[in-house]
Amino acid sequence: MSDLLLLGLIGGLTLLLLLTLLAFAGYSGLLARVAVSAGSPPIRNVTVAYKFHMGPYSETGRLFTESCSVSPKLRSIAVYYDNPHMVPPEKCRCAVGSILSEGEESSSPELIQLYQKFGFNVFSFPAPSHVVTATFPYTSSLSIWLATRRVHPALDAYIKERKLCAHPRLEIYQQDQIYFMCPLARQGDFYVPEVKETERKSRGPAEASDTQMDGTGADTTSDTSSVSLEVGPGSRETSAATLSPGVSSRGWDDGDTRSEHSYSESGASGSSFEELDLEGEGPLGEPRLSPEAEPLGTSKWPREPSTPEKGEE
């Protein structure tokens, strides 16, 4: 009799524990609806303090912690430039930091100096006219884990299905929501200088080895003559060798800032956002408090069952 009572007690406690875990997962967003749409950006133009990272996205947690420790009340932001399904983890690039100001608000010089003291750089992002966006509840650390496995695949599917040129991928942590944003315009303005520098360093040796000149200066690298192509502003091809990451007002004319499998190749043919049914709402209101930093070791993207296609016509 006592044994049955003990087994019943153990079973009841186990069931209670499972129900508690399920309730916590539901509270963290397990059953939240992921709606991806194209429309106005969730934020206006912003000035950010950031640190550049090249390596596995799962190692970015420390950067969130660093930025939040400088000023816990600011919102956190991350910009991911490479598709982790196609780029080796050690070559994935991102920028992580805090939003110093938004819209017409001016950044505090003291705050800028404080972040620079801790090794952060300062950069400004514009407010693109249209973006691909999604939201996910941020109520616990588990919310981040769930978001990486639910939102990013939904964004990938939306962009691929509509053959959009939407890059890079931004995450804004604001109060109890995580806002995901992929610009459809002015993409080049979201590429921090370090990304451009890594492209220059990685492509310099490759370009030098590809061009072998004879004594008279003639190109002898192939049986056929090398052709230099000029890509007009109306072209929608997404070749990493011919297009810059997007229209830029900063003069990105001395090199493509995209890696071979950056998010600029997530879309197939780079359709214009003008062809979309825009469903997004207008910009958010005034800045609100930042959520806590992302926990260490959180993987940003689950591995998909198949490798995304590099470019469909």
Side-chain angles (χ1 to χ4, degrees), residues 47-49 70 74 100-101 106-123:
T47 298
V48 301
V70 177
L74 296 181
L100 301 180
S101 62
S106 299
S107 302
S108 166
E110 294 79 11
L111 191 59
I112 292 177
Q113 292 177 2
L114 179 61
Y115 270 93
Q116 290 176 335
K117 177 183 176 181
F118 288 95
F120 286 82
N121 297 315
V122 178
F123 197 72

Side-chain angles (χ1 to χ4, degrees), residues 6-17:
L6 181 61
L7 289 174
L9 182 60
I10 293 174
L13 291 175
T14 302
L15 179 61
L16 181 62
L17 177 61

Side-chain angles (χ1 to χ4, degrees), residues 110-213:
E110 294 79 11
L111 191 59
I112 292 177
Q113 292 177 2
L114 179 61
Y115 270 93
Q116 290 176 335
K117 177 183 176 181
F118 288 95
F120 286 82
N121 297 315
V122 178
F123 197 72
S124 294
F125 295 145
S129 56
H130 298 88
V131 298
V132 175
T133 184
T135 60
F136 196 81
Y138 183 73
T139 53
S140 70
S141 298
L142 181 61
S143 299
I144 301 174
W145 187 88
L146 292 171
T148 60
R149 282 150 181 79
R150 299 194 60 204
V151 179
H152 288 291
L155 287 170
D156 291 337
Y158 185 94
I159 293 171
K160 182 177 180 180
E161 178 183 350
R162 290 161 177 78
K163 299 181 179 180
L164 299 175
C165 181
H167 62 92
R169 189 159 297 183
L170 285 77
E171 294 178 2
I172 300 101
Y173 293 78
Q174 183 162 295
Q175 279 195 343
D176 59 351
Q177 293 286 322
I178 305 175
Y179 294 87
F180 297 82
M181 184 178 89
C182 305
L184 289 167
R186 303 187 67 180
Q187 292 101 328
D189 290 341
F190 288 87
Y191 282 71
V192 296
E194 291 85 348
V195 176
K196 182 178 179 181
E197 184 63 25
T198 58
E199 288 298 324
R200 182 184 294 112
K201 290 180 179 179
S202 63
R203 291 184 180 183
E207 291 175 355
S209 61
D210 287 343
T211 305
Q212 300 175 358
M213 306 299 291

Side-chain angles (χ1 to χ4, degrees), residues 32-46:
R33 177 175 174 265
V34 177
V36 181
S37 62
S40 300
I43 58 173
R44 293 169 289 177
N45 56 295
V46 294

